[in-house]
Amino acid sequence: YAEIMLVSEPVAHVWVHQKTYAGPYKYPLTLGRGAIPLFTHAFYGELLFVKKNMTDFAMVALPGQLCTFKGSEDILPLVGYVQPQQIQQASPAWLALQPLVVVIPSLCVKKTPCEQGDVLITVPFGSMLRATGVPVDRQEWQEIMLVDGQQGYVPTSAVKYYDQSLPVLSELRETVCVRKDLFIGQPYCFGGRSIFTASYLSGADCSGLTHLLYHAAGLFIPRLAHAQFLAAQPIDPMAMQPGDLIFFKRKKKKYLTVTHMAMYLGDGKVLEAPGLLSSPLKVHMIAIKDYFGVPLEKLYQGCEVMQYNDRAHSKLYFGSFLATPEAALEARKKFLALQRGDFSALVPA
């Protein structure tokens, strides 16, 4: 890869093919009888590489969104297509500044530090900004630098600053789960990794929802479900705590590949973007007993459960990225390395 690039517009739709889809959209997102081939969302300030430039599209690799490709267990950066005007080269000076994650649904970056200031750009939840000074929680406004070098200001409460100092695991797990309410009730979007808004093709699928919640907590995990399964530490379901994950290997895929997953919230409940086999197709919170027909203590690695219909018949597996303080620190170190443009340690060996 010749150079590090970054997303310079609020949202870049990363497509499976060299084609955009202007809608109108009907959720779950379909165009005629075919699913819209959205691969994922990339937000303002997120890093990528250009693999190939074409007239209307750039083929890009996303080191912050790892996946597996069909027929392989290798975990690699997701590759898709974006429009060239949505990306620009990342300056070393910008990469060297302290990263900040946007943690409210939509953030207006102001030209001056006041509510009435002119808006320079509006960016969504999960976007990456850079602090021009050390962030201080007690101050009302944080000075930031945009990707084009402009100075701006954002409310300190709207962004989060992370370093390698981690809270105790229970607090970190709470951080992962605390923003679940921003998504509950939102429509399912195959390939989606965003909070739903009517202004662009948006919403979340199962792994996109989990990836984005971890990202907002300053933790690095793979993007797609099977890659998350391969990278997570297997755990006993009775040891699950908030933020741990349940993976589904479906009968229709001969139980070979994880094609769906959900996040455990504690108290016997899970958070799920339910996918195309269920109804209603909205992000929801549901009790494990209601979901699988048995309580948590009846589940085990590889257990079979019936859902919805025979096509959804699944084997369940349980994993964690926060099983130990060492695992949590590794997820934080990878997140910070990604923001610096250091991708050497992101892909598992």
Side-chain angles (χ1 to χ4, degrees), residues 177-193:
C177 298
V178 71
R179 297 179 185 90
K180 66 183 184 301
D181 293 339
L182 296 178
F183 294 88
I184 291 174
Q186 295 193 354
Y188 177 86
C189 173
F190 184 75
R193 177 186 168 259

Side-chain angles (χ1 to χ4, degrees), residues 192-252:
R193 177 186 168 259
S194 66
I195 289 179
F196 175 75
T197 174
S199 61
Y200 61 91
L201 172 59
S202 60
D205 64 15
C206 59
S207 58
L209 173 63
T210 300
H211 184 275
L212 191 51
L213 288 171
Y214 268 79
H215 170 79
L219 300 166
F220 181 91
I221 66 171
R223 162 63 176 88
L224 297 189
H226 193 65
Q228 291 180 8
F229 164 72
L230 293 174
Q233 178 178 327
I235 57 171
D236 187 281
M238 287 302 294
M240 279 200 305
Q241 298 181 59
D244 290 336
L245 306 176
I246 303 175
F247 300 101
F248 298 65
K249 288 187 176 182
R250 293 232 157 104
K251 181 180 180 180
K252 66 175 183 175

Side-chain angles (χ1 to χ4, degrees), residues 144-300:
I144 61 99
M145 181 184 288
L146 296 174
V147 299
D148 61 2
Q150 288 189 87
Q151 296 295 119
Y153 296 86
V154 297
T156 304
S157 59
V159 292
K160 284 295 182 183
Y161 152 76
Y162 295 110
D163 57 25
Q164 290 190 26
S165 60
L166 293 175
V168 297
L169 281 182
S170 59
E171 294 177 8
L172 187 59
R173 289 176 177 278
E174 183 179 350
T175 301
V176 171
C177 298
V178 71
R179 297 179 185 90
K180 66 183 184 301
D181 293 339
L182 296 178
F183 294 88
I184 291 174
Q186 295 193 354
Y188 177 86
C189 173
F190 184 75
R193 177 186 168 259
S194 66
I195 289 179
F196 175 75
T197 174
S199 61
Y200 61 91
L201 172 59
S202 60
D205 64 15
C206 59
S207 58
L209 173 63
T210 300
H211 184 275
L212 191 51
L213 288 171
Y214 268 79
H215 170 79
L219 300 166
F220 181 91
I221 66 171
R223 162 63 176 88
L224 297 189
H226 193 65
Q228 291 180 8
F229 164 72
L230 293 174
Q233 178 178 327
I235 57 171
D236 187 281
M238 287 302 294
M240 279 200 305
Q241 298 181 59
D244 290 336
L245 306 176
I246 303 175
F247 300 101
F248 298 65
K249 288 187 176 182
R250 293 232 157 104
K251 181 180 180 180
K252 66 175 183 175
K253 295 291 185 179
K254 299 181 180 179
Y255 303 121
L256 296 176
T257 303
V258 171
T259 57
H260 187 56
M261 47 84 59
M263 178 187 288
Y264 186 64
L265 297 175
D267 297 323
K269 297 178 180 178
V270 298
L271 179 71
E272 180 199 38
L276 300 177
L277 294 177
S278 62
S279 180
L281 296 172
K282 293 184 177 181
V283 177
H284 65 156
M285 183 170 60
I286 185 172
I288 282 179
K289 187 173 182 179
D290 294 336
Y291 196 3
F292 301 122
V294 294
L296 179 62
E297 54 266 25
K298 296 290 186 180
L299 302 178
Y300 53 90

Side-chain angles (χ1 to χ4, degrees), residues 66 84 282 313 337:
L66 305 182
K282 293 184 177 181
H313 192 85

Side-chain angles (χ1 to χ4, degrees), residues 12-27 29-41 56-57 81-83 86 189-190 198-202:
H13 296 90
V14 184
W15 302 102
V16 177
H17 308 299
Q18 300 172 52
K19 184 178 179 181
T20 60
Y21 296 82
Y25 305 113
K26 181 180 179 181
Y27 287 85
L29 291 170
T30 59
L31 194 66
R33 293 189 175 182
I36 294 174
L38 175 70
F39 219 150
T40 192
H41 291 113
D56 298 321
F57 288 90
Y81 296 90
V82 302
Q83 294 177 297
Q86 296 180 314
C189 173
F190 184 75
S199 61
Y200 61 91
L201 172 59
S202 60

